[in-house]
Amino acid sequence: MSAAHDESANASTVASKEDRVLVEVEDLKVHFPIKRGVFLDRTVGHVYAVDGVDLRIRRGETYGLVGESGCGKSTLGRALLRLVDQTGGRVVFDGVDLSTLKGEPLRRMRRRMQMVFQDPMSSLDPRQSVASILVEGLRAHGLDTDRVATDRRLRELLTAVGLPETALRKYPHEFSGGQRQRIGIARALTVNPDLVVADEPVSALDVSVQAQVINLLGDLQEEFGLTYLVIAHDLAVVRHISDRIGVMYLGGLVEEASSDALYQEPLHPYTRALLSAVPVPDPELEDRREHILLSGDLPSPAAPPPGCRFHTRCPWRQADRCDTERPALREVAPGHRVACHFAEDIRDGRIARHAVAAEAVDATTGLPGVTSSSAAGPASVTEVLGP
């Protein structure tokens, strides 16, 4: 086979992969103004909820998004659907830049993008029956033209999410939390979307019910050919359902990889800290695995630290670079991206962990800062893990 033929085959393979991309996010920023004053209402700062995120979601896959509370996960999910306005960057859905759409074109595009909200009770109108809740989306998009077809569609959706047809006549307060979440999922599916953003879909549910809802999402994905963005803080849930996982910290994406690669070899210090906090039922394995306790709280998104946003809590911090230069999200292995200057050095043990003191506020800049012992050589176990 000729070299020219090989190059042509490779190019077609790349093109086919590009064609599979449903959502493309480029340098997305969502900044909320901080207002002060009764009459002047002047802007005195901004909350940098999402600050320069790049990611792609392929057709038919489940992309998991994890991170601490307040890191910008939910804001990112809402920005994809234009539920909040973006400050900068682009969100391209199936080749269309959503920032260019307004009015009727945007409303038609939203039919293809739906959301399952975190709290199933507050997201369902208690004064509407289930039938009224489900038919509302059909009417909004002009799909409720045949009453017989609509009734059949609603019954099919309830069956798909594991609820009886009699639920159509009932109201949200008559259902358990898991059943209400199933109604929310059915509502999202009424208009045959391509993308479903599920914002903490199981966080308010009991563990046994969580498994049922997660399995339901997987079954519905196969049946309807859905693409998911699943936002969660439970790493076990995300690993079970996701094909790829992105880790957010303070408004930015710090690591992205396939589910297996991220859990087998996390490269960003923050990801390693998150995974070290996941409980392991085997006591012997628990004793042997890495433990990382982060000092201090998540810095304020209204005053993020300069340089690497994680350097105020990072046990591997190198002050000469981490404090001043924000790392770009770069590919360190096929399909594995990480935003850390020293990811490979940390992985290979060329940089040792050190103790990180409690967070302090720099009197000069007013920003959070840390003091740390960064002498050569590893710190003691007590310094790193605590007494």
Side-chain angles (χ1 to χ4, degrees):
M1 186 178 292
S2 67
H5 188 279
D6 288 341
E7 291 180 3
S8 176
N10 292 335
S12 62
T13 301
V14 172
S16 65
K17 289 182 179 180
E18 292 296 323
D19 291 342
R20 291 185 57 210
V21 174
L22 180 64
V23 180
E24 186 171 4
V25 179
E26 298 178 355
D27 196 27
L28 181 63
K29 298 177 181 179
V30 181
H31 301 165
F32 298 109
I34 302 173
K35 302 286 188 177
R36 183 172 297 171
V38 178
F39 301 107
L40 297 178
D41 198 25
R42 59 192 178 94
T43 299
V44 297
H46 289 85
V47 174
Y48 301 93
V50 178
D51 197 29
V53 170
D54 296 277
L55 62 84
R56 291 180 176 183
I57 304 175
R58 303 185 184 96
R59 292 180 185 274
E61 81 167 345
T62 298
Y63 190 102
L65 196 62
V66 300
E68 289 176 272
S69 297
C71 71
K73 306 185 302 295
S74 295
T75 302
L76 174 59
R78 291 170 183 264
L80 295 189
L81 276 61
R82 284 284 302 274
L83 297 180
V84 297
D85 291 330
Q86 61 197 58
T87 306
R90 298 200 311 159
V91 176
V92 179
F93 180 85
D94 200 13
V96 179
D97 187 350
L98 296 183
S99 64
T100 64
L101 301 182
K102 295 181 180 179
E104 183 63 20
L106 177 59
R107 192 181 68 85
R108 288 198 302 267
M109 184 62 77
R110 278 204 175 120
R111 174 186 168 185
R112 302 179 59 190
M113 307 176 293
Q114 293 293 305
M115 189 161 190
V116 177
F117 294 92
Q118 178 175 356
D119 185 353
M121 192 60 200
S122 63
S123 64
L124 301 177
D125 190 336
R127 295 168 294 182
Q128 287 185 282
S129 66
V130 172
S132 177
I133 290 172
L134 296 183
V135 82
E136 192 171 27
L138 294 173
R139 288 176 179 167
H141 292 282
L143 303 177
D144 182 26
T145 56
D146 185 333
R147 183 170 181 177
V148 174
T150 297
D151 290 343
R152 181 171 62 251
R153 172 67 174 164
L154 298 188
R155 290 195 298 269
E156 290 173 351
L157 283 173
L158 286 183
T159 300
V161 299
L163 291 175
E165 296 179 8
T166 55
L168 289 171
R169 299 187 296 272
K170 296 182 178 180
Y171 290 80
H173 72 272
E174 299 180 70
F175 297 93
S176 67
Q179 290 173 324
R180 287 196 290 265
Q181 194 62 291
R182 289 169 185 263
I183 295 169
I185 294 171
R187 177 177 60 181
L189 298 180
T190 54
V191 293
N192 291 318
D194 296 311
L195 172 70
V196 174
V197 177
D199 186 6
E200 302 275 9
V202 298
S203 63
L205 307 178
D206 294 336
V207 175
S208 60
V209 181
Q210 287 183 6
Q212 297 174 15
V213 173
I214 289 299
N215 291 332
L216 170 64
L217 290 174
D219 294 340
L220 293 174
Q221 185 174 39
E222 293 183 6
E223 182 177 353
F224 296 104
L226 300 171
T227 301
Y228 287 139
L229 171 64
V230 177
I231 299 167
H233 62 268
D234 189 327
L235 294 171
V237 168
V238 173
R239 182 179 189 181
H240 178 74
I241 195 175
S242 300
D243 300 304
R244 288 190 302 139
I245 298 174
V247 181
M248 282 193 72
Y249 182 82
L250 207 61
L253 202 64
V254 297
E255 188 164 5
E256 179 190 76
S258 68
S259 177
D260 290 340
L262 190 79
Y263 279 79
Q264 290 173 4
E265 190 178 34
L267 297 181
H268 195 279
Y270 178 61
T271 309
R272 295 177 67 165
L274 287 180
L275 293 177
S276 75
V278 176
V280 175
D282 187 343
E284 293 184 0
L285 182 60
E286 178 70 24
D287 291 339
R288 292 198 305 268
R289 72 178 186 144
E290 181 180 49
H291 291 267
I292 303 173
L293 298 181
L294 299 180
S295 298
D297 296 324
L298 186 72
S300 170
C308 175
R309 300 256 168 116
F310 187 61
H311 82 257
T312 60
R313 305 168 72 190
C314 182
W316 288 276
R317 170 194 177 202
Q318 303 297 299
D320 58 339
R321 192 173 181 189
C322 296
D323 295 9
T324 57
E325 182 181 338
R326 186 176 182 183
L329 195 65
R330 58 191 175 88
E331 190 168 49
V332 295
H336 197 147
R337 300 192 297 162
V338 61
C340 177
H341 299 302
F342 305 102
E344 295 91 341
D345 295 325
I346 294 171
R347 177 194 60 194
D348 298 336
R350 291 190 290 270
I351 297 179
R353 254 192 313 185
H354 54 75
V356 180
E359 186 178 273
V361 175
D362 190 302
T364 303
T365 64
L367 298 174
V370 296
T371 56
S372 60
S373 58
S374 53
S380 68
V381 174
T382 302
E383 286 179 323
V384 175
L385 303 182

